[in-house]
Structure formats: C-alpha cells, structure tokens
C-alpha cells in the first residue's frame, strides 16, 4: 500500500521556466513532508521540508506547498536551471518517529 | 567534510552466500538507518539504530540483520541473499529520531545477486 505517491515518473522543463513536482499522500497522521534530490551515483540530499501546521515554505528558488485537505504537496522550482536535473523524492514522516515514507521519485530534466 | 560513507559501492554475491554491507559516519549522529531501494521504486526503511537500541520494521524479512558496534559504524548483514534482494541499499543518519529531523544519506551500495 503506497502511502506516498509521485504519479509523474518524469518531467521535462525548459531552463528559466517553472518546474512543478507533485506528490500525494494517504495517511493523515503524517506531520512532516520533505523533498530530497538525488543525482546519479550519489545518495539523496535534503532539499526542503514543511510541517503540517504550515501551507507554504520557501527557500530561495524552491517553494513547497501543502494542501492538507487534498493530501497533496508540490515543489516549485523557479527559475529552473540545468543543474536542477535530478530525481526528486517526496517523503513524509509522523511527529513521533523519524521514519521516512518515500514516493518513487520524479526525474526532472531541465534543458537549455 | 562530515559525511556518510558506504562501502563497497558495488557488491556482487552468489545466491545464498552471506554478504555484509558497511556504513560509517563522521557526523556523530545518534541514529543510523538502512533503506532498501529496488529499481524505480521508493526507498523502504528496513531498520534503524538509536544509539545501541535496534528497531526493526515489522515487514523486514528475517534474512536481514544489522550490527552497530560503535557510534560511527553500522553493518547490514544479509544471511542468505536471494535474487529478490538485488537492490540499492542506502544508509542514513540523523541527530535524533523524532519526526522532522533531517536524514543524511550515503551514496548507497548496489547489490547484485547471481
């Protein structure tokens, strides 16, 4: 039973445009939502997170939006750069236990 | 730089032959995790150590075991690897284990079972 779903396995965006990566979850007990970025031959690296008491968190070019009623979050990258090309994982965890439940990832390609 | 190191990066083993994967960290974090990621799937938590306290996930097969001899090192032992155990194995650490603590991942060990 997939509790965290990333329905788009891949996304292609032109440099300078906005990239929007989506994630849906089913468990209303999740308290934290995170995005990790993974380059080939490297481990996932933390990008940005949001707690369930917020609906938006921003860090430079990266913004995460949380819609609790829809059980949906999204990552916006503006403007997209070729160096952003990577696999992006959405993950969620409850407050009590730092167990990350991951989505299967979305491969983002930013082309010139 | 503080980091999470995994050795080897690639491991080939034979069906049924025990194999050990290694993880070390220079972050001095209390928690170490092992995740399994099969091709094009989400990483899945196998177990974690909080200091010396071992915590197994309910659906982790008995074939998988772990050891943490000290703060810096953690090992994943697969007693009798099957073809279905071929995967990327990711080690991660965090300072503490409540929700929201950032986890820092190593580069992973890709296991191939022949």
């Amino acid at each position: 039973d997939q509790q965290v779903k990333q329905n788009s396995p891949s996304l292609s965006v032109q440099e300078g445009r906005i990239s929007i990566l989506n994630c849906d979850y089913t468990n209303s007990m999740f308290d934290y939502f995170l995005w990790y970025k993974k380059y080939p031959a490297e481990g996932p690296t933390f990008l940005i997170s949001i707690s369930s008491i917020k609906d938006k968190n921003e860090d430079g070019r990266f913004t995460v939006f949380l819609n609790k009623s829809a059980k949906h979050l999204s990552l916006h990258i503006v403007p997209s750069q070729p160096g952003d090309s990577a696999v992006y994982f959405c993950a969620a965890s409850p407050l009590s236990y730092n167990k990350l439940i991951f989505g299967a990832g979305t491969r983002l390609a930013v082309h010139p | 730089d503080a980091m999470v190191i995994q050795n080897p990066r690639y491991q080939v083993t034979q069906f049924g032959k025990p194999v050990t994967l290694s993880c070390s960290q220079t972050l001095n974090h209390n928690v170490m995790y092992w995740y399994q990621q099969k091709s094009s799937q989400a990483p899945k938590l196998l177990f974690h150590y909080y200091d010396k306290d071992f915590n197994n996930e309910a659906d982790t097969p008995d074939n998988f075991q772990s050891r943490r001899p000290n703060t810096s090192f953690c090992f994943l032992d697969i007693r009798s690897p099957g073809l279905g155990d071929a995967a990327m194995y990711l080690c991660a650490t965090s300072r503490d284990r409540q929700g929201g603590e950032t986890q820092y991942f190593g580069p992973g060990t890709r296991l191939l079972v022949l």
Side-chain angles (χ1 to χ4, degrees), chain A residues 15 37 39 61-62 80-86 88 108-111:
Chain A
E15 181 178 4
K37 176 179 178 180
Y39 291 118
R61 295 185 298 114
F62 302 91
S80 301
Q81 299 173 353
D84 296 329
S85 298
Y88 289 79
L108 174 65
V110 180
H111 53 89

Side-chain angles (χ1 to χ4, degrees), chain A residues 32 36 41 43 95 97-99, chain B residues 9 57 97 99 101 103 106:
Chain A
Y32 292 98
Y36 278 78
L95 173 64
Y97 175 27
N98 200 20
K99 173 180 178 176
Chain B
R9 297 293 304 274
E57 291 299 306
R97 64 173 172 183
E101 283 281 338
Q103 292 190 22

Side-chain angles (χ1 to χ4, degrees), chain A residues 53-112:
Chain A
I53 62 172
K54 294 188 175 181
D55 55 17
K56 177 182 173 182
N57 188 26
E58 195 170 351
D59 183 2
R61 295 185 298 114
F62 302 91
T63 303
V64 56
F65 295 92
L66 175 63
N67 182 335
K68 287 190 292 292
S69 60
K71 293 192 175 67
H72 177 83
L73 66 154
S74 60
L75 174 68
H76 292 210
I77 306 174
V78 182
S80 301
Q81 299 173 353
D84 296 329
S85 298
V87 177
Y88 289 79
F89 289 98
C90 169
S93 79
L95 173 64
S96 58
Y97 175 27
N98 200 20
K99 173 180 178 176
L100 292 178
I101 308 295
F102 281 93
T106 296
R107 183 177 300 278
L108 174 65
V110 180
H111 53 89

Side-chain angles (χ1 to χ4, degrees), chain A residues 1-4 6 36-38 42-45 87-92 99-106, chain B residues 33-47 57 59 87-92 103 105-106:
Chain A
D1 178 30
Q2 272 185 286
Q3 297 186 63
V4 177
Q6 294 176 257
Y36 278 78
K37 176 179 178 180
K38 186 182 183 305
E42 295 183 13
T45 56
V87 177
Y88 289 79
F89 289 98
C90 169
K99 173 180 178 176
L100 292 178
I101 308 295
F102 281 93
T106 296
Chain B
Y33 309 81
W34 280 103
Y35 288 84
Q36 179 193 60
Q37 185 186 15
K38 295 188 177 179
S39 181
S40 300
Q41 295 184 22
K44 181 173 175 295
L45 182 65
L46 295 173
F47 27 59
E57 291 299 306
D59 55 355
M88 175 73 81
Y89 290 89
L90 295 163
C91 174
Q103 292 190 22
F105 284 82

Side-chain angles (χ1 to χ4, degrees), chain A residues 8-19:
Chain A
S8 298
S10 64
L11 176 67
S12 182
V13 171
Q14 192 169 22
E15 181 178 4
R17 302 276 186 130
I18 184 171
S19 295

Side-chain angles (χ1 to χ4, degrees), chain B:
Chain B
D1 282 343
M3 55 198 311
V4 182
I5 301 157
Q6 291 189 244
N7 286 306
R9 297 293 304 274
Y10 298 90
Q11 176 74 57
V12 181
T13 191
Q14 291 179 336
F15 183 95
K17 185 174 180 182
V19 66
T20 295
L21 308 182
S22 168
C23 177
S24 63
Q25 53 131 342
T26 61
L27 297 158
N28 203 32
H29 281 172
N30 290 315
V31 194
M32 295 187 78
Y33 309 81
W34 280 103
Y35 288 84
Q36 179 193 60
Q37 185 186 15
K38 295 188 177 179
S39 181
S40 300
Q41 295 184 22
K44 181 173 175 295
L45 182 65
L46 295 173
F47 27 59
H48 79 273
Y49 269 97
Y50 178 67
D51 195 13
K52 294 182 180 179
D53 181 30
F54 176 71
N55 297 270
N56 201 23
E57 291 299 306
D59 55 355
T60 297
D62 292 340
N63 199 24
F64 292 86
Q65 315 239 310
S66 186
R67 295 171 284 135
R68 189 179 186 187
N70 53 54
T71 300
S72 301
F73 284 87
C74 195
F75 300 99
L76 170 62
D77 300 309
I78 308 176
R79 288 193 298 185
S80 182
L83 298 178
D85 297 327
M88 175 73 81
Y89 290 89
L90 295 163
C91 174
T93 74
S94 68
R95 188 173 49 92
D96 209 332
R97 64 173 172 183
Q98 64 255 26
E101 283 281 338
T102 299
Q103 292 190 22
Y104 297 84
F105 284 82
T109 294
R110 185 168 294 283
L111 177 69
L112 181 62
V113 181
L114 300 177

